[in-house]
Amino acid sequence: MTRLIFLGPPGAGKGTQAHLLAELCHIPHISTGDILRACVAEKTPLGEKAQGYMDRGELVPDELILEMVRERLGQPDAIAGWILDGFPRNVTQATFLDKLLQELEQHSDRVVNLDVPDAVLVERMLSRGRKDDNEETIRRRLEVYREQTAPLIDYYSGQQQLVSVNGNQSMEEVTAALKQLIES
Ligand code: AMP
């Protein structure tokens, strides 16, 4: 059973690595960013509310995110395990997740922090070409990460679940490091 939370700044490679590992373990890759982008594309009410925040590089308000995650983790495929990518993003979300996992009688195995220097993050995001990957939004997303998401490193190291992986290596090397971690 694998249940992992991927932390790390935008552009660290969380999405790519979470996707690869989830396939390998036959468990769902749950990316709140992907779910939100699908809602925006389908113009659902949630998508319409979320779009402005995403375009500005701000976090979408917790009240829109929390029920979305509750619903997703409650789906049958998540019983076999999961990789959470992009959630939690702040302490409120992390506290909510702790309670939700208690209710579901589950617990995360590890919280993986992908470490990548800022200059490399910006370079990677600029080459990705996503709608919210312009210079101004990238700068704002890095600020939001530092202010709201980076404190989760302390939150989870207090719970002794945190592992840091050097994300500033080739994609294959990062995948190999992550595989070793889940097999250990
Ligand atoms: P990501 O694909 O994880 O980089 O997310 C893209 C954008 O979606 C972020 O910049 C936020 O606007 C929004 N987003 C994704 N996950 C969350 C979350 N857990 N809480 C709030 N906003 C989120």
Side-chain angles (χ1 to χ4, degrees), residues 4 110-112 163-165 176-184:
L4 294 177
R110 286 200 173 87
V111 179
V112 181
V163 205
S164 263
V165 169
L178 290 169
K179 271 197 213 164
Q180 212 171 40
L181 197 84
I182 55 176
E183 281 158 9
S184 67

Side-chain angles (χ1 to χ4, degrees), residues 32-33 36-37 54 58-60 65 86-87 89 93 130:
T32 44
L36 289 167
R37 278 184 288 278
M54 295 170 77
E58 303 290 341
L59 293 186
V60 174
I65 300 287
F87 181 91
R89 273 299 223 277
Q93 294 183 6
R130 218 167 70 186

Side-chain angles (χ1 to χ4, degrees), residues 40-92:
V40 170
E42 289 164 24
K43 296 193 169 25
T44 68
L46 171 61
E48 305 222 310
K49 285 185 203 141
Q51 182 163 25
Y53 297 98
M54 295 170 77
D55 288 347
R56 291 192 301 277
E58 303 290 341
L59 293 186
V60 174
D62 292 334
E63 62 264 30
L64 298 178
I65 300 287
L66 299 182
E67 285 316 305
M68 185 179 101
V69 170
R70 180 194 292 281
E71 207 265 326
R72 184 63 190 88
L73 281 179
Q75 284 175 21
D77 64 343
I79 292 171
W82 37 257
I83 299 183
L84 272 179
D85 156 24
F87 181 91
R89 273 299 223 277
N90 60 27
V91 172
T92 306

